């Protein structure tokens, strides 16, 4: 629970506050004082009469009733302090800096539980234990540095790791990123990242609340809660980026399918972030760069103009933007010629616009103006401007400052001379701007933002999916393991997923009769062994009854074989769909091109069931091999709509059949008219 006493306490007591600012107890007191805390600050220290100019209490019993207590004492003392302060001093919020709890030992976990029990009993909020504290515009209850600039339009940052939070703040401060609040949840015994997001969502005010949230997550304890509140905040106008550290396998069972080999808990995280509309980051630099981009006006398109006085960085930025799916379009025409006439001879306006190393601040402003007002095919402007140390840059950066305020299009300042022009960059940042000192990092982060879809609608697509029949089939299955082909066929048919005509039998004549009806060529596959290809259990392009009879006899001699499946042989582009159940997350659905693309290149995209049509299209479009699906080099593309429909229908099937733990449809054969499932396996596990 998050309450007023935690966020805006009228009084704070630091248990273990000291005069030694090189230790957490002293550093917290220092930060509270230097942060301008306006309430009553109290210190408990049995050995000091005065702590940093504040009269100290020798015992907690002497302390008047207080709103918030910050504990910086050994773990073994914390449970008794919490019980006493909550009961006798009406403390209703606790920040416990101390370590040595559930993160270390079972005995520590027991201490942690006692603290939680006391907080729950008295209705008190709890941050930590094992954290760096809480930082907002009301109180700086952290023991670390740096303390970033705080303002209401700054970023809300929530971290599951205190040390990582400090390093992320270091990265952010250099870029000029400002903050509204910093939450270090530590062990998150009561308040986790999902709970902070819930509070921010339920108390969101579009006029006064921060519109940017950055997250560093080590454990997603409640994926549904994270999804709901992150999606809700984004729909309200917020922008969210997150790092999810740690992607070890949660299951120990050996993978027996393509999906099982590819999917992991990280696939589930990827799918969750995609569904919520969260921009996924993989490093501190990337997270803080995305945060800086979020503070600028949104781009309305993908076309970028680069204004530079250094050719190399402009070329590297062009390469990085192009690689990420952005455009650096050529600039030409009368307006371009006008611009060129106002620059020094040798300057280029083709894009990148190179005003040369001798370009003046005035020429910088002119180039920006043309990009903003005269080049209609440009959506954003990136300005690279540094120095080799020959001149000062105050005038140039003042021009850049004014143009950022005036421009209708977002301007991304890339000021690389952090050492040589340090004072100039610092002056620029003090005016409220951000700086992207590395152009490639900026391009990578911006591309990731542009690729992140909007939050998916919460509705489930039920049209054409027979849920009662799905449950009837699942309920009738006994035991665990891969189910028989006819049951696979029934489940897919219940979801409206078309399958190639097939017959499974242990009778040779029945199969020959079936092949005669559907027409040759046909495919024969052994039924029994899980990996048919590995045991020679697949025969393609069977064109005669005699050939089919020979293959039947051969396959029935394979170990564990008990029948043979015959299918009409079709041609087309091979596609893949798979799914794996991840505890707490639900089903992760994977899609991609079949064959080598899934087996070797692992070119797959993931989504969290149930999926909307927009999510399915986003998954398909994000594949590296999407050009093959769309059609390339004169080849006809596949029916993308049918492929998306099957992905959505499968995800709805999974939503109502959690007993399915793994499944593959590989391949689906697709052409410009249709997409048909050829082979499928479904693994059932019932509790």
């Amino acid at each position: 629970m998050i309450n007023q006493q935690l966020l805006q306490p009228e009084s704070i007591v630091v248990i273990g506050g000291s005069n030694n600012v090189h230790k957490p107890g002293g550093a917290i007191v220092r930060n509270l004082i230097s942060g301008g805390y306006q309430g009553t600050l109290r210190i408990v220290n049995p050995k000091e009469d005065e702590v940093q100019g504040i009269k100290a209490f020798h015992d907690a019993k002497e302390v008047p009733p207080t709103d918030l207590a910050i504990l910086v004492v050994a773990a073994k003392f914390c449970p008794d302090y919490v019980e006493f302060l909550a009961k006798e001093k009406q403390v209703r919020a606790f920040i416990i800096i101390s370590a040595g709890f559930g993160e270390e030992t079972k005995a520590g976990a027991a201490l942690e539980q006692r603290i939680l029990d006391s907080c729950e009993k008295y209705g008190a909020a709890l941050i930590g234990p094992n954290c760096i504290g809480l930082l907002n515009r009301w109180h700086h209850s952290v023991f670390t540095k740096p303390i970033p600039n705080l303002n209401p339009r700054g970023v809300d940052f929530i971290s599951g790791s205190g040390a990582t939070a400090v390093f992320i703040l270091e990265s952010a401060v250099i870029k000029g990123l400002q903050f509204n609040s910093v939450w270090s949840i530590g062990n998150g015994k009561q308040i986790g990242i999902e709970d902070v997001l819930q509070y921010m969502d339920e108390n969101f005010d579009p006029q006064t609340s921060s519109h940017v949230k950055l997250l560093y997550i080590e454990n997603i304890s409640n994926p549904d809660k994270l999804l709901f509140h992150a999606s809700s905040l984004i729909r309200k106008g917020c922008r969210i980026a997150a790092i999810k550290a740690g992607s070890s396998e949660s299951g120990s069972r050996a993978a027996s399918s393509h999906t099982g080999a590819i999917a992991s808990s990280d696939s589930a995280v990827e799918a969750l972030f995609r569904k919520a509309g969260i921009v996924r980051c993989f490093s501190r630099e990337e997270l803080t760069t995305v945060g800086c981009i979020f503070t600028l006006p949104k781009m309305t398109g993908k076309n970028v103009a680069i204004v530079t006085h250094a050719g190399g960085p402009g070329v590297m930025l062009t390469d990085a933007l192009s690689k990420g799916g952005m455009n650096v379009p050529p600039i030409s025409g009368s307006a371009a010629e006008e611009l060129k006439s106002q620059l020094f001879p040798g300057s280029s306006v083709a894009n990148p616009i190179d005003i040369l190393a001798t370009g003046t601040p005035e020429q910088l402003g002119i180039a920006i103006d043309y990009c903003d007002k005269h080049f209609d095919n440009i959506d954003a402007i990136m300005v690279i401007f540094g120095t080799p140390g020959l001149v000062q840059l105050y005038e140039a950066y003042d021009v850049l400052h004014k143009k950022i305020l005036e421009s209708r299009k977002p301007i991304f300042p890339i000021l690389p001379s952090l050492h040589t022009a340090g004072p100039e960059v610092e002056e620029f940042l003090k005016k409220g701007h951000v700086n992207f000192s590395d152009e490639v990092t900026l391009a990578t982060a911006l591309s990731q933002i542009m690729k992140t879809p909007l939050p998916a609608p919460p509705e489930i697509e039920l049209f054409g999916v027979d849920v009662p029949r799905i449950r009837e089939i699942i309920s009738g299955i006994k035991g665990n393991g891969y189910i028989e082909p006819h049951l696979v066929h029934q489940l897919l048919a219940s979801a409206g997923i078309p399958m190639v005509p097939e017959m499974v039998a242990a009778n040779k004549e029945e199969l020959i009769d079936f092949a005669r009806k559907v027409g040759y060529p046909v495919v024969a596959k052994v039924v029994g062994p899980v990996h048919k290809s590995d045991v020679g259990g697949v025969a393609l392009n069977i064109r005669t009854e005699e050939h089919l009879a020979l293959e039947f006899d051969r396959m029935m001699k394979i170990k564990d074989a008990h029948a043979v499946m015959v299918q009409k042989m079709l041609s087309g582009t091979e596609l893949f769909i798979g799914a794996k159940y991840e505890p707490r997350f639900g089903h992760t659905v994977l899609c991609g091109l079949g064959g080598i693309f899934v087996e070797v290149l692992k070119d797959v995209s993931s989504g969290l069931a149930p999926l909307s049509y927009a999510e399915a299209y986003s998954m398909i479009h994000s594949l590296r091999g999407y050009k093959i699906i769309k059609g390339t080099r004169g080849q006809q593309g596949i029916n993308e709509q049918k492929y998306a429909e099957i992905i959505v229908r499968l995800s709805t099937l999974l939503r109502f059949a959690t007993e399915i733990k793994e499944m593959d449809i590989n391949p689906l054969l697709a052409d410009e008219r249709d997409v048909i499932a050829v082979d499928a396996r479904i693994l059932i596990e019932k509790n």
Side-chain angles (χ1 to χ4, degrees), residues 103-339:
E103 78 280 3
E104 291 189 5
T105 64
K106 288 184 178 179
L111 295 175
E112 200 170 333
Q113 188 60 46
R114 284 178 56 197
I115 291 170
L116 179 63
D117 292 343
S118 295
C119 288
E120 297 296 314
K121 180 166 61 173
Y122 296 105
L126 171 63
I127 293 289
N130 185 30
C131 68
I132 65 169
L134 171 64
L135 172 69
N136 63 21
R137 288 178 290 116
W138 190 269
H139 63 109
H140 297 183
S141 295
V142 295
F143 68 87
T144 55
K145 287 185 176 182
I147 303 293
N149 289 332
L150 298 170
N151 71 65
R153 310 311 292 176
V155 171
D156 287 321
F157 172 42
I158 315 165
S159 177
S161 163
T164 307
V166 171
F167 301 151
I168 288 172
L169 288 174
E170 291 273 8
S171 171
V173 166
I174 292 172
K175 296 179 177 67
L177 185 60
Q178 300 187 25
F179 288 77
N180 178 56
S181 66
V182 176
W183 298 69
S184 163
I185 63 159
N187 293 358
K189 190 63 178 178
Q190 183 200 72
I191 298 172
I193 289 175
E194 299 93 333
D195 302 294
V196 179
L197 277 181
Q198 178 181 359
Y199 180 86
M200 290 177 176
D201 180 24
E202 293 174 349
N203 293 275
F204 183 76
D205 184 326
Q207 301 302 318
T208 60
S209 298
S210 168
H211 283 63
V212 179
K213 320 292 179 189
L214 301 182
L215 316 175
Y216 172 79
I217 306 170
E218 292 186 340
N219 176 52
I220 301 176
S221 59
N222 193 329
D224 286 341
K225 194 172 187 177
L226 179 66
L227 171 63
F228 181 86
H229 292 293
S231 301
S232 176
L233 281 164
I234 293 170
R235 291 191 186 99
K236 291 173 181 175
C238 289
R239 308 179 81 182
I240 302 178
I243 296 172
K244 169 60 178 75
S247 50
S248 59
E249 279 288 346
S250 63
S252 58
R253 174 173 40 81
S256 56
S257 66
H258 290 305
T259 304
I262 297 168
S264 67
S265 56
D266 193 59
S267 303
V269 171
E270 186 75 29
L272 175 66
F273 283 12
R274 176 189 294 275
K275 197 174 193 68
I278 297 171
V279 177
R280 188 170 190 191
C281 301
F282 295 91
S283 71
R284 302 191 305 271
E285 282 298 305
E286 189 177 359
L287 182 69
T288 54
T289 301
V290 169
C292 289
I293 295 172
F294 281 168
T295 67
L296 302 178
K298 284 187 181 180
M299 284 186 63
T300 56
K302 293 186 175 182
N303 292 337
V304 177
I306 300 170
V307 179
T308 179
H309 66 169
V315 174
M316 288 191 289
L317 179 55
T318 301
D319 290 344
L321 288 169
S322 300
K323 183 180 178 182
M326 308 292 290
N327 304 317
V328 184
I331 294 173
S332 60
S334 58
E337 291 304 315
E338 283 180 23
L339 171 59

Side-chain angles (χ1 to χ4, degrees), residues 66 131 135 296 298 324 466 472 498 510 656:
T66 304
C131 68
L135 172 69
L296 302 178
K298 284 187 181 180
D466 189 343
E472 180 184 352
E510 289 180 11
F656 294 99

